Structures are given as C-alpha cells and as structure tokens.
Amino acid sequence: MVALLVLMLMLLPHVISKTHIVKCNIPDPQPPLHQYDQNGDFIIGGIASHSIIISNSIAFSQEPPPALPEELNVVPKHYQNILALQFAVKEINENPQILPNVTLGFHIYDSYFNAKWTYHATMLLTSTLETFVPNYICDIKQNLLAIIGGLDSQTSLQVATILDIYKVPQLIYGSAPLMNDKTPGLYFYQMSPKEDLQYQGILYFLLHFRWTWIGILTSNDEYGDRFVQTVVPLFSQSGICFAFTERTQKFTFITEVNALFNKGAKIHDNIINNKANAVVVYGESYAVPFFRWFPYLSEQEQMPSKPKGKVWIMTGQMELTSFVYQRTWDTEILHGALSFTARSGDVPGFHKFVENKNPSSSKGDGFIMDFWQQAFGCVFTNQVTGNVKGDICTGEERLENLPGPFFEMSMTSHSYNIYNAVYVVAQALHAMSTSQVKHRSMAGRGELKLQNQQLWQLHHFLRHISFNNSAGDKISFDQNGAIVAGFDVTNWIVFSNQSFQRVKVGKIDPQVPPEQALAISEDIITWHNWFNQTLPKSVCSDSCHPGSSKKVKEGEPFCCYDCTPCPEGKITTQEDMTDCYKCEDKKYPNRNRNLCIPKSTSFLSYEDPLGISLTSFALSFAFITAFVLGTFMKHHHTPIVKANNWILTYTLLISLLLCFICALLFIGQPQVVTCLLRQTVFGIIFSVAVSCVLAKTITVVLAFMATKPGSRMRKWVGKGMANSVVLSCSIIQAAICTMWLVISPPFPDVDFNSVAGEIVLECNEGSVAMFYCVLGYMGFLALVSFTVAFFARKLPDSFNEAKFITFSMLLFCSVWLSFVPTYLSMKGKYVVAVEIFSILASSAGLLSCIFAPKYYIIVLRPELNSRDLLIRRKT
C-alpha cells in the first residue's frame, strides 16, 4: 500500500501537467554555471565534464555559496566533447535523408565531476528551461529524446539514477557504471566497448612483451576495487604477478591537498624504486592531470637528474589532458606511454568545423568563454571589472596552436563516442517516425509530433539500431546495450615544446578468435627515453633459458624464481619452463639439454672397427684350429696322436673350430634366426668342448687307477667311457637349450635407454634365468674338469695331459668368472663384444694349452714322436 501511494504521488504531477499547464514563476535557486542551448523540435541532453570545482570544505551549517572563478579548473581538452555534439546535430539537421522537416536541438550542462552538480544538471534536463521545479513541466514544453553522458562511471551512475524514474534513454560515452548498480530499469547504452575486452587486451599485450612482473595504479574507490578484483585473478591465471598495487586519492577540497601530496610522494617513490617497469594505470578522465604531479612528488632528499622511466599502460577512460596551470610542466614522465582507447575514426568536416570555432561564432555557448580564457591564458575585457592583468583575448586565437595536452584538432575517442551517440538517437527516432505501427504522423507545418509514451518506446529502436557512420564504422549494440567495437592501442609521444602526438600501434578486434584479438606493431612503438629505445623488461627474475627449469623462491610470488639446470637425460626447449622432461624414446638430449636429437641405430656390425677386429680374431683362430686339426689328421698314426684318444682329440678340435665360427653369429644386425641360434648353439658346442676335456681328464685318472693290481677300473678304461661322458654331458646342455627355446626364446629387441644417443638393436634373451643356466652348466663342467685335472697333474706319464688341462680350465674359469660382472656393467654393442671376447679367449685358451705342446712335438720335434722313445722315457 505504501509503494502504491508513493507511485500515485509521483504520477500526480504528470496528470496535472497534462490537464492544465501550471504557470510557475519560481526562480532557480542555483542557476547552472555553464550551459549550451540550441532549440529544436526534439532535444538531446548532454552532461559534459568540462570543469572541476576545487573549493573549501562545506560545513552544511548554511547554504553553500556559489563557486568562485578561482575554484573553477577547466579541462580544456574536454571542450571538444561539446563541439562533437554540436557538430553531429549540425550534420543531422543539414541532412535531408535523416529526420526530414524535423530539427534537433540540444541542452548541455556541466557535471563538474561533482555529484551535486550532476544531479542538478540531470534535473534541469528533465524539467524546463526557465524554471527548476522537479517533476513539473512549466510554461515551455520540451521533447527530450535522450541524454548523452557522462564521461566517468560515477557521473553516469548519478545520471542513470534520475533517468530511471522517467525512462529517458541514456547514452554513456565514457566508462559504464558498476553492473551491480544496474538494477532492472536503468536505461543506458554504452558507446564505448566493454571493459572486459579491454582487460583481455591488456593481458594479451603484457604476454606479448613477456611482462610478468607489473604494478597497478588505480583510484581508491569502488571502481578501482572492481578493476583490481577483475584483473588480479585474470592475469594471475596467465602467469603474471603483481609487484605492487597503489591507490590514489581523489580530492575536491583545498584542505585535502597536503594529504594528497604526501600520499602521492610515497606512491611515486614506491613505483619508481620498484623493479617492475610496466605499470597498468586505471583511472577516470581527470586522472592524468593529477598524474602529472608525480615528477614533483618525492620523499627522497635528492631527486635524480634523469628520472627513471616506466611503461605506463593506460586504460581507455584516460587521455592526455592537463589543467591550465600545468602549461609549462614537464611531460617526460608520459613519453612512451601506451593507452587502450575506444576505436575512433576520422570524421569528415570536423577538423574544419573546429578551425572556424571562436567566441564570436558561438551563440548560446556558455562554455567557450572560460575555455578560451584558460586555454590561451588570456582575459576578455568584458569578463572582468577593474584593471586587466595579463594578456587580453582577441577571440582570433587559433585552436590548432594549442598544445596537444590542452586541445586536439582530430576527434578524440570520447568525442567520437558522443558523435556516434547523437547519430544513434537520430537514427532511432528516424526509424520510429517511419514505423507505421509505432508512430503517428500529424498535419501542420510538417512537424512530427509524438506522444510521451511513444518516446519511451524509443528504447526498442535503440536496441536494434545498426548503421554505418560517416567514418565508415558500423554502429550497433549487443544484447547488453554495449556498442560492438574494439580498442585501439595508441602510443603517446610528447615533446619538450608541449606538443603531443598519438600513434596507433595496435588494435583489439572482438570479432576474431581470442588468440588473434591483439594485433601489435612492435617496431613503431616509441619507448621512454630511459630505455634507449630498447624493449623494456618487466620481470621479477630473468628468464630461465632452455636447458633449465624454474624453481620458485620460498615465500615469494611464483614469478620470482631461480633457474636450475635440467638433470641428466631431461631437457627444456622453451624459456621459463617449470619442469624438465624426457625426450621420446627415439631421441636423446644434446649437451646443452635444450634439444632432442634423433638417436643413431647401434649394433655390432661387420663394418664397425670393433666388429672387424673380433671377426678377424674369430676367423684367425678358426683357421689355426682347422690347421691343427689337419695336422693331427695327417699324423693320425703317430704315437702321440694315438696315445691321447684321437676321437676325443678330433671332437675337441672340431668343437673349438665351431666355437670360433659361432662367435660370428653375435656380429651383425640381430635377426630372428640369429637370436634363436647364437646362445643355444654356443652353449651346446661349448658344452661339447668342455665335455671332451672332462672326458680326457677322467680317462687319464682311470688309466692310472687301472694299472694297480686287482683294480676294477679296467673295465671302465676305453673309448666307450669317454664317448659316454661327452654324449651325456652334451645331451643335458641340449635339453636345457631346448627348454629355453620352448619356454621363452630369445628375440630381436630395441633398447632405447641404456646408451644415450643410441638405439641399440639387440637380442633379448627372453629368459635371463635360462641364459644363466646355460652358463652355469658350462661352468659346472669346467669346475669338475679343473678339479679332476688338478688331482691328476702329478701322475707319471710322458703324455699325461692333466697339467695342461688344469691350466686350460683355470684360464677358462677365469675368463667366464670375469665375464659375468663385465657383462652386467656393459651397455649397447659392448655387451655383445664382451661375450664374443669371452668365447674367443676361453676357446683360444683350450686350443693353446692342450694342443700347442703336441703340435710342437709333431711339427718341430718329430724325433720325439716315436714309440721307442715313449717306452724308454716311461722306463
């Protein structure tokens, strides 16, 4: 019921005003200090931010006095915003294609960056021109279409709070208010791109230059808090850390100046002395004039002659503006700054329109006098009483002669937004007027007359507006009422004569994929003089080069780290990697551990020097063995051959010959057949050889035991017993090898890891246990042979071989005992080489120890090879 009563009270004045125009003669208690009026059939309201009032504090014990001239600080560059609105209205009124027979007018008031004056200006626009009675239309009817404003977020929110009551469209040409405050019913449209796109663009920009250690300078209000809360998690997810976050104070009273300067000195020293060279600055349009105080604020006793440079990254709301008292101030601190600005185009005719602007040609412009006087540093004689101090304004001064921080002839981004906003309203009204459903044409001097409720329906046409402006840019809104546009990245270049140049060095396009949104021309960027035109670095720690990884310092942000070399076998191929990783199996790290090199294929080949050497030895020993065998066969009927069991002798020589030849199975690229045969063939042949040695040893022992009277060993002495020993021992080894081939046969394999830089082609033994069973069995036979021969070494016989067998088995066992640890410690092709060497060494040992003495007698001392001599020696 209370809400209904309030609603009725609010609607009551409208009802009264429609039924009977009240004759109100109430004077405005505080007339606006500046205004610009141009009549028309429909009015566009404008909230400018042309000046800022810095006054003494208000005690609210009495009515606040009017602002004094010395309290008024004009921001000269913002006067262009007013000219942009006037220029757009002028173009539309002169264009017969838009709103024919209808003229647009405008009423512009100043917000003074102040809540009181902002509310006051908004109420003036929604009331009448002559009197100020909130909620009443007195004497003069005005058709207010929309209000364009404001420049800053807080100003726009204050305007939106009032316009929400009347449902008047609001087109914001600056940054939008906090979305939390955009309750249902706040009818505003955002002429600048969404800030989320800007934040993404700044992130891409930082990542492009690899600036991971940055600072933030922002305003100490809810908008600064929103900025920090948005970008800190967003940037941190992409590996960017924050060296500091400083907040500046806004002041409106003279009494706050000292506190502001003290705070600014601390902020200045902290930023300048910090290692972070990239600083993201977020603020409103008035922030730059206060920012220009920085070079003059410091708590240090002695300022350096050449101040340290920083890369200032300005958000879109900020532009290079100055107060008039900063005319001669140093601008070095801003040289090389980078600004994200709403995309703007070159509007034809605007430059000439501005050139012709002067106080005498500006009827009804209440802003131009203060602007002219403060911008040019002169005084109009009709504006002061008494003696004139300083230069006198002639009105013929040229705007193009003003320094860039005070005025620009080309349209700024904010002015471009205002220009587009006027056209958006005009196009929406034009669409509304041509709609047969939502408008009503009436006769009478061709004037278009719309009812109030129809004007409210202008929102429908605003939401769906789409057209190309005179600069060729497409103007349309998204579903949230924000213009669909991107940002330009501009480089600020300032000169000692206060001239200023903006250079477009990049852009952010919202229509392309995010990874391609930022286009930057790095080569044309001008950096601060401190950096000597070299790319600035803004990192906590220098990059870890490939071959090393980052190790975060304890207790510090993740951007601060030490670099540690990659361990053996691992690499990093990029800078600042957090972990080293292994190469794929077919590659290996280079010496610097920053690249994976393809591995070479390795195996013991016949072309390899080691393979050639082993092959030569194997064939040489095989030839020697064959020669010895031929010699023995040639002297088959000699006593020395007969006395040593020629069958065992030939069997042993043939097995040794095969041992030397089977060593060749280990050389060459492993194949299925060679892998299956080489260990088994070697095992069986070597077992035959060792069995023959064992049989010879047993034969010698039994022969001497059989000579004793009454010995029963005579029946065991003979060729049958020796053959049985060889056959049985060989069959056991053959059974072991057969079992090996059945259970887990060897096969060709590839070893990627044992040798760095090589892919070793090898034979996998299948079952390591079976492999060592084969070796163990041969070792067992050798140990038995050694033991028997050792005890028979002193038996009195001219042809007793026990001594030679003992020495040969000692050599055999030494070779194969040393083989095991060497085999396990070697890698790659050298594993095969060790086994071949063991085969050749042990076989050569048997050949030389057992057959060299006999060969010496047969070939070199044939006179000793006689039965008579043997019997005589035995006697």
Side-chain angles (χ1 to χ4, degrees), residues 253-268:
F253 301 119
I254 297 296
T255 54
E256 300 173 350
V257 172
N258 288 333
L260 181 68
F261 286 172
N262 292 333
K263 176 69 173 177
K266 294 180 180 179
I267 294 175
H268 170 269

Side-chain angles (χ1 to χ4, degrees), residues 25-92:
N25 293 311
I26 304 174
D28 191 346
Q30 282 196 354
L33 302 178
H34 301 89
Q35 65 183 72
Y36 191 178
D37 300 329
Q38 179 177 307
N39 293 327
D41 298 325
F42 294 95
I43 300 299
I44 295 177
I47 303 294
S49 295
H50 179 248
S51 308
I52 183 170
I53 298 176
I54 302 176
S55 61
N56 293 313
S57 59
I58 302 174
F60 295 101
S61 59
Q62 58 183 1
E63 182 180 349
L68 300 174
E70 57 269 19
E71 297 176 343
L72 190 67
N73 286 273
V74 174
V75 185
K77 184 173 284 190
H78 290 177
Y79 181 66
Q80 193 197 84
N81 299 342
I82 298 170
L83 297 182
L85 195 152
Q86 180 193 5
F87 177 72
V89 171
K90 176 178 176 294
E91 274 193 339
I92 292 170

